[in-house]
Amino acid sequence: MTDTAALEVSVLIAAEPETVFPYFTDPARYVQWMGTDVELDPVPGGTYRVRMRDGVEAAGEFVEVDPPRRVVFTWGWTATLPVPPGSTRVVVTLTPEEGGTRVLLRHHDLPDEEQRGQHALGWELYLGRLEARLAGRDPGPDPNA
């Protein structure tokens, strides 16, 4: 897919980029908004692995880590063939904005519209959970964990 076909999801979080960024790189913070168990080694070539329910995992590796502005990692499902581990790329950009930080997530290389739609729903859910966590609200248990 081309960049024009990248899935794009955005949320405004009432916190500085320096506060938001570790929620994409620190396993103890990541698991507060997504997954049940997280293995992250946030250096280029380092592990990205998020465990969900029923043994389902998202897996890939970090490509770029530029605190507190940008993180890029590869992504795919260990149990789903249409999007194998590391076959797609997620780019998260944090931009200061009045009222906090604009989190822009672009998911590249998804194979078709069905996968784009499924991943759009997922990323919207999870960025909403991240916003709630950083606003001091309990996002509740992960519905996919």
Side-chain angles (χ1 to χ4, degrees):
M1 291 205 143
T2 65
D3 283 352
T4 57
L7 162 66
E8 191 170 289
V9 179
S10 161
V11 66
L12 179 63
I13 295 180
E16 297 299 317
E18 293 81 6
T19 301
V20 178
F21 189 85
Y23 282 83
F24 289 94
T25 58
D26 175 10
R29 289 186 180 133
Y30 202 106
V31 78
Q32 292 178 21
W33 62 281
M34 183 178 193
T36 57
D37 185 39
V38 177
E39 183 182 344
L40 304 175
D41 182 16
V43 297
T47 300
Y48 174 92
R49 185 174 299 273
V50 179
R51 291 172 185 86
M52 308 301 262
R53 69 171 176 242
D54 302 328
V56 174
E57 296 178 343
E61 66 180 39
F62 284 90
V63 175
E64 180 183 338
V65 181
D66 181 17
R69 291 177 293 279
R70 181 174 154 105
V71 62
V72 180
F73 51 91
T74 62
W75 169 280
W77 298 107
T78 59
T80 305
L81 294 178
V83 185
S87 66
T88 67
R89 183 172 46 98
V90 176
V91 178
V92 179
T93 306
L94 307 178
T95 306
E97 192 173 293
E98 186 173 338
T101 299
R102 174 65 54 188
V103 176
L104 173 62
L105 183 145
R106 297 192 81 206
H107 197 151
H108 300 264
D109 306 318
L110 289 162
D112 56 41
E113 286 303 313
E114 179 183 359
Q115 288 301 315
R116 283 173 42 88
Q118 289 178 5
H119 283 80
L121 292 173
W123 286 122
E124 288 169 3
L125 167 74
Y126 285 110
L127 289 184
R129 290 175 53 79
L130 176 62
E131 186 278 328
R133 170 57 65 199
L134 283 159
R137 299 187 312 272
D138 181 0
D142 183 340
N144 295 312

